[in-house]
Amino acid sequence: MRFFARNCLPPPYDVSVAPSRPNLCTVFDAGKICISPLTVICTRSEEGRHLLRSSVSVQHYIAQLWILVGNIRGDVLPGDPGTTSEGFIPMLRTSWALTNFVCVSESEDPDKATLPLSNYIHAAGGVKPVVITLLKYIRRITRDAVAVEEPRSWTTRDESVKLLHLYTTGLKYSFLFLQTISRQDASCRAQLIRQGSIRTVVDAITQISPRILVQANHELDFHPDMGLAERQNVLWSGYSYIASAIRDADDGVTGVCQAIDAGLLQTLTNALVCPAHANCRDHPPRGRMGDIELLFLLATFFIYHRVVQSITRHWYFFVQNFSRTKQETRDEGLGIALGLVLRSTIDAMKHRNVEPINVHLYRCSGPGCSMRVSKFVSKKRRCSGCLISIYCSEKCQRTAWRNGHKKWCQVLRCTIGPWGSREIRTSLQVIAGFETSSISGKVKEVETRVREAQQQFPDFSNTLVLMLDMTVYPSESHVLPVHMLEQFPGGDPIWPEIAAEIRQRSDSPPKGYMFSVVKVHLGNSTFTLFSPSTALRMAFEDQYFLDDEVYNSEDEDETDDSKTLGDQDLDYDSESLHNKRYDV
């Protein structure tokens, strides 16, 4: 490896001022000599894999040649005599996907020291070249797989079946490579999302799934290496990367929007007609983050306004595909999961479009002030405490403070999280809608949770709080003492006072608990928020005159994005599908 790196690969310095090197071996020869031994080492030798993970010179050679092969044009390496078969470079790409994954993966033996990921990234030229080259590999391997001729016999001896197996294996290790560097390095994870890695993976799955999810015959479907289970695991490796990128990111909302805009929901509806190998003999069950698990993870982000916007843009095509494939469903588990997620998309769009809209986003929060944001004379004033209330003037701000905002400012602050996330602040209406519908749909479950909490915490029976956990799908309910809530100022004396006012002003006061809170996540960050529905209603219900002028937002600078697709058509389709949802 050291010899090839010194004598075959382009030097990392200016060739014009360096001494000439002997022409002992070309890049083509080096790649041809290494492809088979490295593949055997990666698949059959634990000590060999450890060598790839621990040798600086080996990693430098592999990383540099990987970058070189990933960026060549015309599939011709320097030194290629032109007498080889046309499939050499595609085969080199797929084999290199396995080798590079082994280089950055964790060792089987935890006692053996391996090189950090930074060594590989440095040899490859930095984070950005690694990310861009990896995405190029995925796109080119996908292109090669799609270009394979339709197999004639669908047997293990058919050349087309062998090529499909080779390319899909290369895709599998490319997906695993994505997941590994994304998990180990935060800068790689952020750069991958920025370069559209989720979109690239979804496109690859969309293109190759019709070619590999084919139920052929007993011999091929139950083959340990080329069978249907192994082919589906290729796709689930891609799904696993998408899930890990969303869960581990600081901004998981962007990853979810990228997946939805790339057509992930439509791709999953097309998979309904494919057989579910989990129901077949000798076939393993779905992976921990397979297609269904990824669907449920996406559904936990339907509470965010930006995600609902993406759903709205693609909802018609999603429903159309689902209706078309529902009659031919062969994967019943995936069909049930898609039906549940479809209902959640309908609920999300309804919660965003429900009236009255969040008036405080478009009008001055001063009591009785009808000034709209677009008519503010000077730059709008936003309360630095709650980050929600906006005012047209200092006078309105002082008046609102004296008329109750002094007390509710802290409550609103607890409603948007400790860091005042913009995603949460702009999504309060949708979160409040899911909160209200969840509580009303779980009345008996909540009563059971209250009784259990009263028995478990007898000394705190007067300070119980209902927590709706929306970080999982379907959402779960828990009842805990207020001081046991995470990231929530439960010990502040304001909460018993507010609980009393909530009970006094509410038409149907909660029984057995003071108030509700909502647990949400934005990826790797989790927040416990005070009830958005309660906070918005009680902080603003006395400050506005809800007349027609409130909803006339044609000249507002912060317009409602729900008007983009035509609300009348959307509401009609949503209602008609909602009425038929139990047929799924």
Side-chain angles (χ1 to χ4, degrees):
M1 297 297 103
R2 188 178 298 112
F3 171 82
F4 286 146
R6 291 179 177 177
N7 296 279
C8 304
L9 301 183
Y13 44 77
D14 189 357
V15 181
S16 61
V17 297
S20 58
R21 298 187 299 179
N23 188 17
L24 301 177
C25 186
T26 65
V27 178
F28 176 82
D29 294 330
K32 190 174 182 181
I33 291 171
C34 294
I35 180 174
S36 295
L38 283 176
T39 302
V40 174
I41 287 173
C42 291
T43 55
R44 301 185 182 180
S45 172
E46 181 179 344
E47 289 297 327
R49 290 192 292 271
H50 176 68
L51 177 63
L52 295 184
R53 300 184 183 107
S54 58
S55 173
V56 175
S57 59
V58 170
Q59 282 206 359
H60 277 223
Y61 168 73
I62 291 175
Q64 292 173 30
L65 185 56
W66 181 72
I67 292 289
L68 180 64
V69 172
N71 291 278
I72 61 174
R73 296 183 178 180
D75 286 353
V76 178
L77 279 174
D80 188 347
T83 58
T84 58
S85 61
E86 297 180 356
F88 174 72
I89 297 301
M91 291 178 62
L92 186 61
R93 284 198 199 99
T94 55
S95 299
W96 232 238
L98 168 61
T99 305
N100 281 268
F101 165 68
V102 171
C103 282
V104 301
S105 61
E106 300 175 355
S107 177
E108 292 94 337
D109 188 351
D111 296 330
K112 292 183 178 180
T114 57
L115 293 171
L117 179 62
S118 57
N119 177 76
Y120 179 91
I121 292 176
H122 174 73
V127 171
K128 192 170 184 178
V130 169
V131 168
I132 293 177
T133 303
L134 178 54
L135 298 182
K136 284 183 179 179
Y137 266 85
I138 293 176
R139 288 191 289 267
R140 290 182 178 181
I141 294 175
T142 303
R143 179 194 64 189
D144 294 334
V146 173
V148 174
E149 294 182 359
E150 188 71 22
R152 295 182 178 181
S153 58
W154 283 104
T155 63
T156 56
R157 298 172 296 277
D158 191 282
E159 288 298 323
S160 295
V161 173
K162 292 180 181 180
L163 284 177
L164 279 175
H165 173 66
L166 176 68
Y167 295 142
T168 53
T169 302
L171 275 179
K172 173 183 176 180
Y173 286 111
S174 297
F175 294 155
L176 293 175
F177 190 9
L178 272 175
Q179 188 172 356
T180 301
I181 66 174
S182 178
R183 182 179 64 251
Q184 294 183 6
D185 190 274
S187 58
C188 284
R189 180 168 61 246
Q191 187 65 234
L192 283 167
I193 298 295
R194 195 175 300 117
Q195 296 295 331
S197 60
I198 294 179
R199 185 180 302 108
T200 300
V201 172
V202 173
D203 288 342
I205 293 175
T206 303
Q207 294 184 56
I208 67 170
S209 55
R211 301 299 310 274
I212 64 177
L213 293 185
V214 177
Q215 195 169 21
N217 50 63
H218 187 276
E219 176 192 0
L220 184 62
D221 290 346
F222 290 90
H223 193 276
D225 297 325
M226 304 170 65
L228 182 60
E230 186 62 29
R231 282 178 270 150
Q232 287 187 320
N233 282 332
V234 173
L235 305 184
W236 289 345
S237 299
Y239 293 143
S240 181
Y241 163 69
I242 297 173
S244 64
I246 293 172
R247 287 179 305 173
D248 299 337
D250 295 330
D251 179 17
V253 174
T254 298
V256 173
C257 293
Q258 198 174 112
I260 294 175
D261 290 337
L264 178 60
L265 295 178
Q266 292 93 309
T267 299
L268 289 172
T269 57
N270 292 332
L272 287 176
V273 299
C274 301
H277 76 258
N279 298 329
C280 300
R281 178 173 56 86
D282 298 332
H283 280 190
R286 280 185 166 87
R288 188 175 65 87
M289 286 309 301
D291 43 10
I292 293 180
E293 291 79 7
L294 176 58
L295 263 176
F296 287 169
L297 176 64
L298 294 179
T300 62
F301 286 85
F302 290 172
I303 61 176
Y304 294 109
H305 179 80
R306 192 147 58 97
V307 175
V308 180
Q309 284 182 294
S310 296
I311 292 173
T312 304
R313 287 194 294 268
H314 303 278
W315 182 78
Y316 174 76
F317 302 101
F318 172 41
V319 173
Q320 192 177 37
N321 277 7
F322 185 78
S323 301
R324 177 176 53 83
T325 57
K326 186 172 61 175
Q327 303 300 328
E328 305 175 8
T329 297
R330 301 174 68 186
D331 191 338
E332 295 182 0
L334 180 59
I336 295 173
L338 278 169
L340 293 174
V341 171
L342 176 60
R343 298 172 196 175
S344 295
T345 61
I346 297 173
D347 293 339
M349 292 187 292
K350 286 187 174 181
H351 294 328
R352 190 188 69 165
N353 296 328
V354 71
E355 294 184 357
I357 61 175
N358 286 342
V359 187
H360 61 277
L361 295 177
Y362 308 100
R363 288 185 60 175
C364 173
S365 297
C369 182
S370 60
M371 183 70 70
R372 288 181 293 181
V373 172
S374 60
K375 296 182 179 180
F376 283 8
V377 177
S378 59
K379 186 178 180 180
K380 62 185 178 185
R381 301 169 177 266
R382 187 180 297 275
C383 176
S384 60
C386 66
L387 300 177
I388 295 179
S389 300
I390 54 177
Y391 304 97
C392 63
S393 64
E394 185 178 352
K395 178 181 177 181
C396 282
Q397 189 170 7
R398 288 198 304 267
T399 304
W401 186 259
R402 290 194 298 265
N403 281 267
H405 187 69
K406 179 179 180 180
K407 178 174 65 176
W408 290 102
C409 183
Q410 180 180 349
V411 178
L412 292 172
R413 178 68 175 177
C414 293
T415 305
I416 62 172
W419 293 285
S421 167
R422 177 178 176 83
E423 294 292 352
I424 296 176
R425 189 173 72 239
T426 57
S427 307
L428 287 181
Q429 177 173 320
V430 185
I431 300 175
F434 275 108
E435 176 197 6
T436 303
S437 61
S438 296
I439 294 178
S440 61
K442 297 181 177 182
V443 176
K444 294 184 178 179
E445 180 182 346
V446 170
E447 293 177 353
T448 303
R449 294 282 186 269
V450 170
R451 287 195 298 269
E452 294 174 352
Q454 289 173 343
Q455 296 175 0
Q456 185 177 0
F457 309 103
D459 296 336
F460 305 100
S461 59
N462 295 328
T463 60
L464 297 178
V465 175
L466 172 64
M467 182 180 72
L468 293 175
D469 188 356
M470 294 188 181
T471 63
V472 295
Y473 183 85
S475 62
E476 299 177 352
S477 59
H478 307 276
V479 178
L480 298 170
V482 66
H483 68 274
M484 294 182 62
L485 297 176
E486 301 176 2
Q487 296 180 344
F488 189 79
D492 196 297
I494 191 176
W495 297 113
E497 176 187 348
I498 292 175
E501 184 169 346
I502 291 173
R503 290 191 178 99
Q504 180 182 359
R505 298 172 62 178
S506 176
D507 294 335
S508 55
K511 297 180 180 180
Y513 59 90
M514 293 195 301
F515 48 79
S516 60
V517 296
V518 179
K519 187 177 181 181
V520 300
H521 67 148
L522 285 168
N524 58 14
S525 301
T526 304
F527 306 93
T528 302
L529 314 175
F530 178 72
S531 168
S533 60
T534 302
L536 291 177
R537 183 179 70 253
M538 302 191 72
F540 297 106
E541 65 179 0
D542 296 332
Q543 298 185 14
Y544 301 119
F545 299 101
L546 299 181
D547 52 18
D548 294 337
E549 184 182 14
V550 173
Y551 306 107
N552 184 14
S553 57
E554 295 179 355
D555 57 345
E556 295 172 355
D557 60 348
E558 298 184 24
T559 57
D560 185 7
D561 295 325
S562 63
K563 305 297 182 181
T564 54
L565 291 184
D567 288 339
Q568 294 181 350
D569 294 340
L570 181 62
D571 291 342
Y572 175 79
D573 292 339
S574 302
E575 188 62 27
S576 62
L577 185 60
H578 183 71
N579 293 335
K580 298 179 180 180
R581 63 185 184 178
Y582 297 106
D583 297 333
V584 175

